[in-house]
């Protein structure tokens, strides 16, 4: 079975600053994918970024980057130049070769301060 | 391109009634997932289909819940009879290959009175 741990229930960041949201995972499967989703107060789930377990480079998508440290089993999300619209709940998730479904962490509520 | 489409967006009904949630996945996606989100338990997978075939329904809470996927463009999640503890947001998601992300619908906010 796989597990995701997000230890920060809430985070605050000043507008235009960078912020790192922590995510650690546990799986015995050598092949897996790590995902980050954003859920604003309106409720929808928005895909942000993906990292495959065999990817050599850290994933980047615009202002989002994933700090993937395989040996430490961590996949932290870095948001650069925070904007007010980044205020939302952020979920880290994993799926593995043997279990196609996503397992989600408990989420981190990010608040961007003006 | 149209995303995953769920209906209804909101449903309020009395306990004991049958509830049917609907989902249209993204065209070309061959995997479809139903999730439930509550404050207490977070996001949980209920059931997942691949090529219209149910693969894993171990997350379905009990026999009151059933899901079908009669074709590649439509799925339903049915609760009969509904209970207040079924109140939650139900998401449908779809994806293509293993390395592609699951794209979520906007969810159905279900309230059972």
């Amino acid at each position: 079975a796989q597990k995701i741990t997000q230890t920060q229930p809430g985070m605050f960041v000043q507008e235009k600053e960078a912020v790192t949201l922590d995510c650690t995972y546990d799986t015995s499967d050598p092949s897996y994918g790590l995902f980050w989703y954003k859920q604003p107060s309106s409720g929808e789930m928005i895909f942000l970024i993906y990292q495959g377990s065999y990817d050599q480079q850290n994933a980047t998508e615009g202002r989002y980057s994933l700090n993937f440290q395989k040996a430490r089993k961590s996949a932290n999300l870095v948001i650069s130049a925070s904007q007010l619209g980044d205020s939302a709940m952020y979920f880290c998730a994993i799926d593995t070769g043997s279990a196609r479904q996503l397992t989600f962490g408990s989420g981190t509520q990010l608040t961007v301060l003006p | 391109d149209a995303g995953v489409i769920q209906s209804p967006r909101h449903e309020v009904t009395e306990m004991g009634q049958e509830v049917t949630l609907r989902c249209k996945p993204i065209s070309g996606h061959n995997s479809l997932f139903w999730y439930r989100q509550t404050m207490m338990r977070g996001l949980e997978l209920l059931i997942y289909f691949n090529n219209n075939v149910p693969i894993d329904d171990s997350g379905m809470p009990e026999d009151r819940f059933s899901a079908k996927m009669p074709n590649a463009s439509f799925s339903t999640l049915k609760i009969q009879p509904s209970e207040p503890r079924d109140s939650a947001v139900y998401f449908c998601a779809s994806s293509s290959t293993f390395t592609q992300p699951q794209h979520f619908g906007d969810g159905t906010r279900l309230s059972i009175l």
Side-chain angles (χ1 to χ4, degrees):
Chain A
Q2 55 269 19
K3 184 180 178 181
I4 291 283
T5 302
Q6 295 181 252
T7 57
Q8 305 155 314
M11 288 281 287
F12 291 88
V13 64
Q14 209 67 39
E15 194 177 9
K16 300 181 185 176
E17 298 291 312
V19 63
T20 298
L21 306 184
D22 294 342
C23 172
T24 57
Y25 60 92
D26 188 28
T27 180
S28 56
D29 199 313
S31 176
Y32 52 89
L34 294 155
F35 302 80
W36 278 91
Y37 286 83
K38 172 184 178 182
Q39 187 175 39
S41 57
S42 50
E44 68 267 33
M45 293 285 289
I46 303 167
F47 166 71
L48 296 178
I49 195 166
Y50 163 82
Q51 179 85 42
S53 57
Y54 296 119
D55 292 345
Q56 296 297 314
Q57 306 263 5
N58 284 345
T60 61
E61 287 286 348
R63 295 186 297 111
Y64 304 109
S65 60
L66 203 151
N67 184 1
F68 181 46
Q69 298 186 45
K70 196 169 182 177
R72 297 181 62 184
K73 293 192 172 181
S74 74
N76 299 338
L77 177 70
V78 180
I79 306 174
S80 62
S82 298
Q83 302 172 357
L84 296 178
D86 295 333
S87 294
M89 183 73 86
Y90 289 80
F91 291 97
C92 181
I94 187 171
D95 77 354
T96 69
S98 59
R100 184 65 184 84
Q101 63 268 29
L102 287 173
T103 298
F104 285 87
S106 55
T108 295
Q109 179 68 49
L110 176 67
T111 302
V112 180
L113 303 171
Chain B
D1 288 341
V4 175
I5 299 172
Q6 290 187 247
S7 64
R9 288 295 311 275
H10 304 272
E11 174 91 11
V12 180
T13 192
E14 293 184 347
M15 66 176 293
Q17 298 296 306
E18 179 179 290
V19 172
T20 301
L21 310 181
R22 297 173 175 79
C23 176
K24 177 179 168 56
I26 293 172
S27 177
H29 283 188
N30 64 349
S31 294
L32 184 140
F33 307 80
W34 283 100
Y35 292 89
R36 180 172 67 175
Q37 185 178 31
T38 61
M39 288 294 292
M40 291 296 294
R41 299 174 67 92
L43 273 154
E44 305 172 281
L45 178 75
L46 299 178
I47 187 170
Y48 125 64
F49 295 84
N50 194 50
N51 293 322
N52 311 340
V53 176
I55 302 300
D56 185 352
D57 66 354
S58 59
M60 296 286 262
E62 45 197 278
D63 292 346
R64 298 184 297 106
F65 286 69
S66 63
K68 293 182 180 179
M69 192 164 186
N71 57 62
S73 59
F74 184 66
S75 176
T76 59
L77 177 69
K78 191 171 289 188
I79 309 172
Q80 167 62 22
S82 57
E83 296 183 3
R85 59 193 168 115
D86 302 330
S87 298
V89 180
Y90 291 80
F91 286 102
C92 175
S94 71
S95 70
S96 51
T97 68
F98 167 64
T99 59
Q100 296 303 309
Q102 294 178 23
H103 293 273
F104 283 70
D106 288 342
T108 295
R109 188 173 296 274
L110 178 63
S111 297
I112 308 297
L113 306 178

